[in-house]
Amino acid sequence: MHDIVIRIIQSRTSFTDFFRYLKKNKLAVMGLTIILSLILIAFIAPFIAPHDPLELNLNNRLLQPCEGYPLGTDDLGRCILSRIIYGTMISLEIGIVVVGITSSIGLVLGGFAGYYGGILDEIIMRVVDIMLSFPGIILALTIAGVLGPSLFNVMLALTLVHWTSYARVVRGSVLSVKEKEFVESARALGASNLYIMVHHILPNVIAPVIVMATLGMGHVILSAAALSFLGLGAQPPIPEWGAMLNSGRAFMRTAPSLTIFPGLAIMITVLAFNFLGDGLRDALDPRREAVT
Amino acid sequence: MLKYLLRRFLLVFVVVLGVTVVTFSVMHFTPGDPAEMIAIGRYGEDLTQKEIEWVRTTEGLDAPIYVQYGIWLNHLLHGDLGNSLITGDPVLSEILTRVPATMELAILSMILSLLIAIPIGIIAAIKQYSIIDNFSMIGALVGVSMPNFWLGLLLILFFSVYLGWLPVCGYGGFEHIILPAITLGTGMAAITTRLTRSSMLEVLSQDYIRTARAKGLSEKLVISRHALKNAFIPVITVIGLQFGYLLEGVVIVETIFAWPGVGRLLVDSIFARDFFMIQGCVLFIVIIFAFTNLLVDISYAYLDPRIRYQRRD
Amino acid sequence: MSLLQITNLRTWIPTRDGIVKAVNAVDLEIEDNEKLGLIGETGCGKSILGMSITRLLQPSTKIAGEIVYKGKDLLRLNEEEMRKIRGKEIAMILQNPTTSLNPVLKVGDQIAEAIRLHQGLDKRTARKEAIEMLESVKIPLPEKRANEYPHEFSGGMKERVMIAMGLACDPSLIIADEPTKGLDITIKMQIVKLMKEVTKQRSMLFITHDLGVAAKICDNIAVMYAGELVEYAKTDEIFKKPMHPYTQGFLNSLPNMGLKPIRGLSPSLIDPPSGCRFHPRCDYAEERCKNRHPEMLIIGNGHYVRCFLYD
């Protein structure tokens, strides 16, 4: 009983501490603000975009930024700003779906591997080792390429590639938590495996997964944009940022804004997730550095 | 030490074997009939069912999948990666003609990134929380977040299109490699800077650093003699991992700059649906990656006397 | 004049959770050839006090007061002057030899490095001296061992290496921080014997939480609690006539005195208790102990105590 009380007190202080430290980290706060704004933009895209992102207008091809088109138009006369705004939705969607699925797979497989050990652990971790011995994007590129260019196949490929790192981290933390006294005592009290996993192990494993997932959002969005840029992902006329950069390449001389702005959007989004992820990691790090 | 190396060799072998299974499966579980695809590659779209069946028998595609894998692996071990479906040339020789260009680019980018990253990482760690530190850490984070394909385009836009100093793309003299190497090197430099810094910080907080200071060593000696060697042990690993990043990067950078390397060959074959060529490129890249990691482990063991003598867990 | 005179030393360390007031208004003196024991629980600030003397704490640490060594205030020296003191004049034997030795450098080189630096010897002579040092701390086969890495040494042997390293430049004062921690009893006694031998002609500040070891080595003992000294006396006097309730509790917690632990936990150094810092755990605590901070009292014959009981 005494142990449990101490644990609750510890977890509560670390929880409030955690937010205190996070709030102090200016970059993390900035990252979070940008992410929230992007989510908002994705939701209200139809109301703030000046034009329909798919609307062709061959009279207004490759315009420089002007009053009607703040960032100019592309080779088919579509409004670049509107396409970027709609692209927010696509990129966030890719990130959320892929990260959601991969982290869940990682939690389940890594959790089982770490908790039960034995042959199951051996098999899962060997598969992870083999998958991790591919440079990530090469495998995704091949899978997406062989399946045929489409946004869905890119997401599928990224999912197949990305679950491994979660599984590995989850397994590691499960292994370290498994031996702790509170798990032993719960087991002695006759708690079921499922109960122990959900009530004791999950709360201790979730923190590193959240950090990884935040950084993973940036990574997945970047990889998806790269694959689309190579022409393997989103196909025209979908306003995906990577695909926009790809189609803008041919018009670099006449319409540089087609090269500049979609890339800027990718970078800001990825940077925001990295800022937040870094901040989360520092705030969760038990070794708190001195501030001077 | 010998035991350790042997173990590592065995591990690389197992991993490479696993990789062949994955690569083989990716190719064979693709939608569509492989015999038809090979036939189309060879003889064009206009085919009869008979021709397709003929390809199926001659290529052994009617055998059970594990037999096919066995045959394929056997060929692989003899250096036979099949022939390109497009040109009909042997895959391996085509890859080998592309290797020098990729290596040139990879090595130059690596050197460039280390020249930037290691000094900045070390200085940032020594001057933790200073303006230099904050500035370089934000810079590194921006570098990590910057899509390399975008950076490549921006560099072309500025140095080639706007200033006209450097060629837009292509392979040739030194002026051709500058922009691709910067594009590839920047992202890597960003990652290595962060890791060098954190590794260095970790080492600087160790007790033996305090021991060194307690002896009255100057800060310069403390860092050069006691900290650097320890800090470089993890950095070496990272450089190994960076090689993976590099191999990812070449695919994109070679495509942007029309650089005739293995990465571009892979992308081109994907679009041409040249399956044997894709298979060959992927295997080639992964094997290079695996052996670089092995090499890194060996140098790791050399640097860290604790591993040199005992088996690492 | 004494070899080392510390007056009103305060060491404050800023952290993310607040300022750790690790050392508060400490006065101490070490005479030539004196062995002074500094004892207290883990986390009472005794190691920080030791490291304040040679200024080995992180730069953000605030150290105030005076630390006069051979007539010079160490706190007023610049970094360059301080470096010439470290290792040569005042050597430290830091705790935990496993982490305090550099894993990637040969043991002989780690000892020789200080010799080369302070005595300006060439590489080969310094190496010879280092081997002699290893011999003087009774490490068998010193020539062979000098070429080995720390992980090839056992715990006791590593401690000997640390001692050899500290003695390398023939310092006048040694600050030894828990050199017997974590060693089993036979090895511990060997190290104690060795420490006694090698410090015959030197002064030493011996930091430990092991009273038994302190009794064997030290002439005088200072007891530290929550960043403050609470009692100071000759070694046998402390054992025969402990005055501060904390010292009494500390003695009672020894295995041969009944193993009775002091109730409560050691206090935080960020937000220490008001009044007498020991009052929340003290059996004799009165009202004034909570509100007023007791001063150090002289109880004759060089025995000092910080407690209202003797007021």
Side-chain angles (χ1 to χ4, degrees):
Chain A
M1 190 60 204
H2 184 66
D3 278 5
I4 295 169
V5 173
I6 287 180
R7 241 187 92 228
I8 291 170
I9 293 170
Q10 280 174 345
S11 69
R12 186 181 301 150
T13 49
S14 63
F15 205 64
T16 45
D17 278 1
F18 167 71
F19 279 108
R20 196 158 56 88
Y21 292 129
L22 193 61
K23 257 198 298 195
K24 264 196 211 161
N25 186 333
K26 286 191 199 90
L27 292 181
V29 173
M30 195 164 103
L32 187 63
T33 317
I34 296 173
I35 292 167
L36 292 176
S37 325
L38 288 171
I39 293 173
L40 184 71
I41 289 173
F43 271 107
I44 60 170
F47 305 105
I48 53 171
H51 297 269
D52 179 342
L54 302 180
E55 181 193 275
L56 305 180
N57 190 340
L58 296 179
N59 293 329
N60 291 337
R61 296 179 63 216
L62 298 172
L63 286 184
Q64 294 297 317
C66 59
E67 210 170 306
Y69 299 94
L71 299 181
T73 60
D74 67 6
D75 51 313
L76 298 172
R78 295 174 296 200
C79 168
I80 295 178
L81 178 65
S82 306
R83 289 178 67 75
I84 289 177
I85 289 174
Y86 274 87
T88 315
M89 196 152 60
I90 294 166
S91 284
L92 288 180
E93 217 174 82
I94 296 172
I96 290 166
V97 170
V98 173
V99 168
I101 295 174
T102 49
S103 58
S104 312
I105 297 176
L107 267 173
V108 171
L109 290 184
F112 275 114
Y115 191 78
Y116 289 110
I119 186 81
L120 187 70
D121 180 31
E122 198 61 32
I123 292 172
I124 294 176
M125 292 327 286
R126 268 342 110 218
V127 173
V128 168
D129 276 349
I130 290 168
M131 297 294 273
L132 282 176
S133 57
F134 285 92
I137 225 171
I138 300 285
L139 187 58
L141 182 83
T142 313
I143 297 174
V146 168
L147 293 179
S150 85
L151 202 52
F152 177 80
N153 287 342
V154 160
M155 284 159 77
L156 184 67
L158 289 176
T159 306
L160 286 173
V161 170
H162 278 274
W163 66 273
T164 49
S165 41
Y166 293 95
R168 188 181 250 194
V169 167
V170 169
R171 174 180 175 269
S173 7
V174 170
L175 277 181
S176 67
V177 178
K178 193 168 85 166
E179 308 299 328
K180 293 271 167 66
E181 292 85 351
F182 55 86
V183 174
E184 298 282 324
S185 61
R187 192 169 293 137
L189 288 171
S192 70
N193 279 332
L194 187 69
Y195 181 89
I196 292 175
M197 276 194 235
V198 173
H199 286 85
H200 291 287
I201 294 184
L202 192 63
N204 285 288
V205 170
I206 205 77
V209 171
I210 289 174
V211 173
M212 278 186 79
T214 311
L215 295 169
M217 280 292 289
H219 195 152
V220 165
I221 290 174
L222 195 59
S223 306
L227 292 175
S228 293
F229 173 76
L230 289 175
L232 291 169
Q235 297 299 307
I238 301 174
E240 202 274 348
W241 294 334
M244 288 172 71
L245 276 178
N246 188 24
S247 59
R249 276 167 76 189
F251 310 99
M252 213 181 248
R253 274 167 214 281
T254 41
S257 60
L258 205 47
T259 297
I260 294 170
F261 294 108
L264 194 63
I266 300 172
M267 195 184 86
I268 289 172
T269 310
V270 175
L271 193 61
F273 281 106
N274 283 343
F275 276 158
L276 181 64
D278 260 22
L280 286 173
R281 185 174 48 201
D282 289 347
L284 288 167
D285 189 351
R287 289 173 303 172
R288 285 178 186 137
E289 295 165 353
V291 277
T292 44
Chain B
M1 179 71 175
L2 202 70
K3 212 172 156 188
Y4 168 72
L5 283 184
L6 223 67
R7 222 174 81 98
R8 284 295 292 118
F9 260 116
L10 210 70
L11 207 68
V12 167
F13 180 74
V14 170
V15 161
V16 169
L17 201 68
V19 164
T20 61
V21 174
V22 174
T23 318
F24 183 79
S25 333
V26 166
M27 292 305 149
H28 275 258
F29 293 115
T30 49
D33 177 3
E36 190 180 339
M37 283 189 268
I38 294 174
I40 290 173
R42 275 189 204 158
Y43 314 114
E45 297 276 349
D46 200 16
L47 288 169
T48 64
Q49 194 59 36
K50 225 171 159 185
E51 285 164 319
I52 294 174
E53 290 312 318
W54 185 77
V55 168
R56 195 187 309 283
T57 347
T58 48
E59 290 292 318
L61 292 171
D62 48 356
I65 190 91
Y66 56 87
V67 175
Q68 288 187 42
Y69 172 70
I71 293 168
W72 179 74
L73 197 64
N74 187 31
H75 285 199
L76 190 68
L77 288 175
H78 292 90
D80 178 9
L81 292 168
N83 294 336
S84 162
L85 294 178
I86 309 299
T87 60
D89 296 334
V91 165
L92 188 64
S93 65
E94 178 64 33
I95 292 176
L96 291 178
T97 57
R98 300 291 196 109
V99 168
T102 298
M103 281 299 144
E104 226 174 276
L105 180 58
I107 290 169
L108 191 67
S109 323
M110 183 80 102
I111 293 171
L112 189 72
S113 78
L114 293 180
L115 284 180
I116 302 171
I118 293 199
I120 295 181
I122 290 170
I123 292 168
I126 295 170
K127 310 240 175 243
Q128 197 189 4
Y129 301 126
S130 68
I131 294 169
I132 304 176
D133 181 27
N134 288 332
F135 193 74
S136 39
M137 280 312 102
I138 293 177
L141 214 48
V142 171
V144 172
S145 312
M146 170 112 73
N148 52 9
F149 46 92
W150 185 50
L151 177 63
L153 295 179
L154 288 185
L155 290 175
I156 294 176
L157 197 60
F158 189 71
F159 289 102
S160 311
V161 175
Y162 180 69
L163 293 176
W165 289 354
L166 294 166
V168 170
C169 63
Y171 181 71
F174 184 70
E175 71 274 14
H176 284 92
I177 204 172
I178 297 175
L179 292 186
I182 294 175
T183 310
L184 204 48
T186 313
M188 269 200 300
I191 303 173
T192 316
T193 307
R194 278 159 66 88
L195 275 142
T196 307
R197 173 181 180 267
S198 64
S199 168
M200 192 70 187
L201 280 178
E202 174 83 34
V203 168
L204 286 176
S205 71
Q206 297 292 318
D207 288 346
Y208 54 78
I209 294 298
R210 197 159 56 203
T211 310
R213 292 201 179 112
K215 283 183 217 169
L217 296 186
S218 66
E219 213 44 38
K220 220 171 88 190
L221 273 178
V222 168
I223 285 161
S224 63
R225 200 177 298 164
H226 287 265
L228 282 185
K229 198 172 174 194
N230 283 292
F232 277 151
I233 294 171
V235 171
I236 293 268
T237 329
V238 171
I239 294 172
L241 293 176
Q242 291 289 48
F243 211 78
Y245 177 89
L246 203 68
L247 293 172
E248 295 183 18
V250 289
V251 172
I252 287 161
V253 173
E254 287 182 0
T255 307
I256 298 174
F257 290 96
W259 190 262
V262 180
R264 179 141 181 262
L265 181 63
L266 175 61
V267 174
D268 287 347
S269 339
I270 284 175
F271 281 105
R273 301 188 78 71
D274 187 347
F275 288 97
F276 292 135
M277 192 62 93
I278 301 176
Q279 226 167 26
C281 289
V282 171
L283 273 177
F284 182 81
I285 290 174
V286 175
I287 288 170
I288 295 271
F289 185 46
F291 277 93
T292 324
N293 282 343
L294 181 68
L295 211 70
V296 164
D297 272 358
I298 295 170
S299 48
Y300 200 98
Y302 174 75
L303 279 176
D304 193 338
R306 281 164 298 185
I307 300 178
R308 214 181 300 168
Y309 292 92
Q310 66 209 41
R311 208 183 55 161
R312 198 173 58 150
D313 181 36
Chain C
M1 202 183 69
S2 45
L3 181 71
L4 182 80
Q5 175 134 27
I6 297 175
T7 320
N8 198 16
L9 180 71
R10 288 164 198 273
T11 305
W12 289 8
I13 306 167
T15 68
R16 248 164 88 159
D17 298 300
I19 294 169
V20 174
K21 302 177 189 86
V23 178
N24 270 292
V26 165
D27 298 314
L28 263 185
E29 246 177 275
I30 300 178
E31 303 288 339
D32 270 326
N33 227 358
E34 177 188 348
K35 282 85 186 161
L36 173 65
L38 182 62
I39 63 171
E41 299 166 314
T42 308
C44 72
K46 57 189 192 305
S47 295
I48 303 286
L49 171 57
M51 284 189 280
S52 304
I53 297 171
T54 43
R55 293 175 26 198
L56 280 177
L57 297 156
Q58 52 197 102
S60 57
T61 310
K62 309 256 179 308
I63 310 178
E66 271 183 6
I67 302 176
V68 179
Y69 172 82
K70 288 189 178 167
K72 273 183 288 189
D73 186 351
L74 299 184
L75 296 182
R76 287 166 195 277
L77 298 184
N78 64 28
E79 190 52 31
E80 189 60 29
E81 292 164 329
M82 193 63 219
R83 279 206 302 107
K84 292 193 176 124
I85 305 262
R86 285 187 201 132
K88 186 171 169 43
E89 291 285 338
I90 305 177
M92 299 205 72
I93 298 172
L94 293 162
Q95 59 176 315
N96 202 347
T98 305
T99 55
S100 290
L101 289 167
N102 192 330
V104 302
L105 296 180
K106 288 175 184 161
V107 163
D109 293 343
Q110 295 194 49
I111 299 173
E113 144 181 270
I115 301 173
R116 281 182 69 188
L117 180 81
H118 291 299
Q119 301 175 1
L121 295 178
D122 63 276
K123 214 169 176 176
R124 197 188 298 163
T125 331
R127 205 187 128 72
K128 252 166 79 193
E129 291 241 337
I131 293 169
E132 274 168 36
M133 288 319 299
L134 286 174
E135 204 168 1
S136 74
V137 294
K138 307 201 171 51
I139 289 181
L141 301 173
E143 251 168 89
K144 176 174 166 284
R145 299 295 263 174
N147 273 328
E148 294 183 350
Y149 291 93
H151 68 94
E152 298 168 75
F153 285 66
S154 68
M157 284 294 158
K158 275 186 230 174
E159 193 59 64
R160 285 171 195 267
V161 172
M162 290 300 291
I163 294 170
M165 210 186 273
L167 297 172
C169 297
D170 196 19
S172 313
L173 173 65
I174 288 182
I175 300 174
D177 193 355
E178 304 260 23
T180 59
K181 195 179 186 177
L183 299 175
D184 65 50
I185 186 78
T186 31
I187 311 277
K188 190 193 274 187
M189 285 308 133
Q190 287 170 12
I191 296 289
V192 168
K193 200 170 143 233
L194 178 66
M195 296 285 294
K196 274 185 83 150
E197 249 176 72
V198 299
T199 55
K200 261 186 196 129
Q201 309 297 324
R202 303 172 215 274
S203 304
M204 175 160 69
L205 177 64
F206 190 81
I207 301 169
T208 184
H209 66 275
D210 189 333
L211 271 174
V213 170
K216 289 203 171 59
I217 293 180
C218 304
D219 308 315
N220 297 301
I221 283 186
V223 181
M224 196 164 178
Y225 183 78
E228 293 183 326
L229 293 189
V230 292
E231 189 161 3
Y232 175 93
K234 288 206 164 21
T235 304
D236 44 351
E237 177 112 352
I238 284 270
F239 280 90
K240 270 187 240 139
K241 244 187 6 182
M243 301 189 95
H244 197 280
Y246 174 69
T247 316
Q248 292 166 1
F250 205 92
L251 284 169
N252 284 334
S253 69
L254 289 179
N256 54 354
M257 305 283 253
L259 255 172
K260 269 184 293 184
I262 307 172
R263 66 186 167 89
L265 297 167
S266 42
S268 136
L269 291 173
I270 292 177
D271 190 15
S274 61
C276 170
R277 294 183 171 187
F278 188 59
H279 85 259
R281 301 169 74 187
C282 181
D283 292 330
Y284 310 100
E286 308 164 14
E287 201 51 37
R288 60 176 169 173
C289 301
K290 286 180 197 158
N291 308 322
R292 280 173 44 212
H293 187 245
E295 292 301 317
M296 209 59 158
L297 303 169
I298 311 174
I299 314 290
N301 197 21
H303 198 144
Y304 296 76
V305 65
R306 189 188 294 279
C307 181
F308 287 124
L309 285 177
Y310 308 96
D311 205 353

